[in-house]
Amino acid sequence: MDSQVYKELIEQEETHWWFVARRALTKHLLNRIKIPKNAKILDAGCGSGGNLPMLTAYGEVFACEMNEQVRQYSANRNIGTIAYGKLPDEIPFAGTQFDLITMFDVLEHIEDDCATLAAIAARLAGGGKLLITVPAFQGLFSRHDKLHHHFRRYSKKELQEKLRSVGFEIEFINYWNFFLFPVAVATRLLDFFRAENCHAIGTQIPSPPINKFLTKLVSLEKFLFTQMM
């Protein structure tokens, strides 16, 4: 991603409804999967480290990131062990097998996603888990994806096939943010008619009342997840 995009990521990751709601849903899932106490956890592609405070409640946290700007910001949180890493060929912490590996909207940035999944699988301990999020539906590929240097978006079927092709067994997979899906479709369509130098719609933090409402709305999806698991 471009340096300006990383700067905006750092500014938004603590408060933007999308990041906050994703952490709420992630925490809900983590509370329901079986990982050892004091697990070894790798956050692959940790960005500015916004998820590290959440992950540290579940074990010893390691993280890797290829961009120096946000990696330093992440290291300054003084949470876990942060190192340079690039997927799929330069995963750090050689010799360490992890009980949990997380990839929060990382896979779509990597051209060879299958090789990346295979490399991640090789770093999991026996019985280890992968928790991964990706953007959905190639038909929604838009200015936002180009700005963030995405190679693709995924359908549930495609992601399942790629995970299984490298040996993963899928315990739970689902779409999220479906309460706002019609809004997402509308904003992606509007983006096609906006000037190239404009921000993609929805990337800026809305007013505090709207931001709070959207956070609570999307976070409610955790109760639907409970029924599905």
Side-chain angles (χ1 to χ4, degrees):
M1 292 188 287
D2 299 327
S3 59
Q4 179 60 31
V5 175
Y6 278 118
K7 181 176 182 293
E8 292 176 359
L9 171 67
I10 291 170
E11 294 171 349
Q12 296 177 6
E13 197 167 16
E14 301 296 333
T15 57
H16 192 291
W17 65 267
W18 189 88
F19 291 105
V20 177
R22 188 181 67 178
R23 282 194 293 272
L25 296 175
T26 299
K27 186 174 181 179
H28 185 76
L29 292 174
L30 285 172
N31 289 338
R32 282 159 177 76
I33 63 177
K34 294 180 180 179
I35 56 175
K37 290 184 178 180
N38 302 316
K40 289 189 180 297
I41 301 168
L42 173 64
D43 190 16
C46 66
S48 61
N51 296 305
L52 299 183
M54 171 189 65
L55 292 174
T56 195
Y58 299 93
E60 182 182 5
V61 176
F62 300 78
C64 62
E65 170 59 45
M66 63 178 290
N67 181 272
E68 173 62 26
Q69 178 185 0
V70 289
R71 186 172 71 252
Q72 187 58 53
Y73 189 93
S74 183
N76 289 342
R77 294 176 183 270
N78 295 314
I79 299 174
T81 305
I82 317 298
Y84 171 82
K86 183 179 180 181
L87 298 167
D89 299 322
E90 299 179 58
I91 302 176
F93 315 116
T96 303
Q97 298 294 107
F98 297 96
D99 302 297
L100 172 68
I101 296 179
T102 58
M103 296 177 67
F104 297 108
D105 286 39
V106 172
L107 192 63
E108 66 275 9
H109 294 275
I110 304 167
E111 188 168 8
D112 195 341
D113 53 354
C114 287
T116 295
L117 291 173
I120 289 294
R123 298 301 299 273
L124 284 170
K129 310 288 186 181
L130 169 65
L131 178 57
I132 181 171
T133 64
V134 294
F137 303 120
Q138 186 63 25
L140 294 181
F141 196 93
S142 68
R143 176 201 310 270
H144 175 83
D145 297 280
K146 295 176 182 178
L147 183 65
H148 287 78
H149 296 183
H150 293 175
F151 283 96
R152 68 196 75 78
R153 299 173 74 94
Y154 292 86
S155 67
K156 186 162 66 173
K157 180 181 178 182
E158 179 186 5
L159 185 59
Q160 285 176 314
E161 289 175 348
K162 290 186 174 183
L163 286 165
R164 286 175 176 148
S165 73
V166 298
F168 280 102
E169 295 181 6
I170 298 169
E171 294 184 4
F172 177 73
I173 185 169
N174 200 56
Y175 295 109
W176 73 280
N177 199 21
F178 38 80
F179 286 154
L180 296 179
F181 181 69
V183 178
V185 173
T187 56
R188 293 299 184 266
L189 289 173
L190 287 172
D191 264 342
F192 284 114
F193 299 100
R194 288 161 57 85
E196 285 295 326
N197 60 350
C198 292
H199 278 288
I201 298 173
T203 58
Q204 303 302 297
I205 300 176
S207 66
I210 294 176
N211 193 57
K212 184 177 181 180
F213 170 75
L214 294 176
T215 300
K216 289 186 174 181
L217 177 64
V218 178
S219 297
L220 286 174
E221 294 181 15
K222 65 186 180 184
F223 298 111
L224 297 178
F225 280 7
T226 301
Q227 302 302 315
M228 298 172 185
M229 294 183 72

